[in-house]
Amino acid sequence: MRARYLEMTNPEFEQFLSGNLKGLTPDALGVIKEEIIRRNLDPGVFDSVLAQQQAEEPPFRVYDEEACPVDEDVRIWIERYFQVLLEIFGKENTLGRKVLVPRRSDFPIRYDGSERAAHETLSIVATQMEVPVEQITLDFFEDHLGAITEGSPGGLYWGKGEEGKFEISLVRRKLDDPEGMVAMLAHEIAHIKLLGENRIEENDELLTDLATIFFGLGVFSANAAFKAYYDYKYYGWSQAGYLTQMEWGYALALFAYIRGESQPFWANHLCDNVKADFIQGQNFIANNEEIILV
């Protein structure tokens, strides 16, 4: 990994360090610390990496069909973030936007693990999110982090390159995971919508994840997060994305509420666990409309 770090510019290395780096080995942490010192970066960057290694597991939750699937403080910040996104992207656009699901009519692509399939997927996702695909450059990287960490970034957003195009990268293992590929591309293009189009000044990964819902791609994001969460829980892999299964379920319930959808067709495409939290979220919202912030 030291050789890979040496190939990175300072902005690229800092972007890498801002991602999900849970589960690093002591040797890997030592290499990162040496590289931070060599580059004369803020020592606080390493403290942030170190803090990720000490993150605690969320407490066990007892299912209650009448309760919100997330804690009260989490419910409030999700709803406040929805207020922000409604202001940014407009309620009318949100109400009328088509929701895409994992079916051939939405993604008429021959998925064979090729870069061609990825570029065709990019075209559909970019169009859905109202970014001209010709303004985006997509490249691919190998999953070198697998040897030193429990998880690694599936995608990266680099901003605008020298040619004035937005640059994003996708890990090659996603080429064999069409739904995960859609989720990852949606997240990186959400960075374009928020940061690249100057709608926010500082990166906010939670807001970025939620933005994919507003562009009709939340089913992919939620399902990808659950699959990775399951893997992390039982096999030691890391969580994909920045929201938990329960947070995705409630956020999608809030999305359906805003759109006046009591039984949206797209909910049938959610994996069972996310769908359970979605339905629980719907029940909570229906019984507590007076406190919902959107």
Side-chain angles (χ1 to χ4, degrees), residues 3-33:
R4 178 167 171 77
Y5 295 156
L6 292 173
E7 294 174 355
M8 294 182 181
T9 63
N10 279 3
E12 289 172 345
F13 187 61
E14 290 175 332
Q15 172 87 6
F16 163 75
L17 294 179
S18 69
N20 185 346
L21 294 178
K22 292 180 182 178
L24 292 172
T25 65
D27 288 344
L29 287 168
V31 172
I32 287 177
K33 184 174 183 179

Side-chain angles (χ1 to χ4, degrees), residues 30-218:
V31 172
I32 287 177
K33 184 174 183 179
E34 291 174 7
E35 189 64 16
I36 290 173
I37 294 173
R38 187 184 72 81
R39 293 171 182 263
N40 293 320
L41 300 180
D42 182 355
V45 174
F46 183 71
D47 293 337
S48 298
V49 174
L50 201 59
Q52 289 193 48
Q53 318 310 307
Q54 302 166 348
E56 296 181 356
E57 288 283 332
F60 177 75
R61 296 177 60 88
V62 177
Y63 179 75
D64 180 356
E65 64 180 13
E66 299 298 324
C68 186
V70 297
D71 292 333
E72 182 69 1
D73 58 333
V74 175
R75 177 188 71 82
I76 290 172
W77 76 248
I78 290 176
E79 292 176 8
R80 285 178 175 168
Y81 269 30
F82 262 59
Q83 290 176 322
V84 171
L85 290 167
L86 283 170
E87 183 175 348
I88 291 175
F89 297 120
K91 186 170 184 177
E92 185 175 343
N93 292 333
T94 303
L95 293 176
R97 185 165 284 115
K98 178 183 178 181
V99 175
L100 302 187
V101 295
R103 61 186 178 188
R104 187 162 180 78
S105 57
D106 286 341
F107 290 87
I109 296 171
R110 179 170 58 88
Y111 285 103
D112 55 5
S114 67
E115 293 184 7
R116 170 202 54 78
H119 282 285
E120 291 179 8
T121 303
L122 172 67
S123 180
I124 292 173
V125 175
T127 299
Q128 175 73 8
M129 299 184 72
E130 301 173 359
V131 178
V133 69
E134 59 270 15
Q135 293 183 10
I136 303 174
T137 298
L138 172 64
D139 62 20
F140 306 89
F141 63 95
E142 300 296 339
D143 190 9
H144 293 301
L145 291 180
I148 64 168
T149 175
E150 294 177 351
S152 60
L156 294 166
Y157 167 69
W158 302 104
K160 280 191 175 182
E162 294 180 358
E163 297 180 359
K165 295 184 178 183
F166 296 109
E167 298 180 349
I168 61 177
S169 300
L170 183 72
V171 68
R172 285 193 176 277
R173 59 182 163 81
K174 288 296 178 184
L175 295 176
D176 295 316
D177 175 14
E179 291 188 38
M181 183 195 309
V182 173
M184 196 59 61
L185 291 173
H187 181 87
E188 302 313 325
I189 296 176
H191 278 305
I192 295 175
K193 298 300 297 183
L194 293 169
L195 282 171
E197 296 180 358
N198 299 315
R199 289 184 166 91
I200 60 175
E201 293 182 359
E202 295 183 4
N203 186 38
D204 188 324
E205 294 291 353
L206 298 175
L207 190 71
T208 303
D209 259 356
L210 290 174
T212 66
I213 297 176
F214 278 69
F215 284 94
L217 291 158

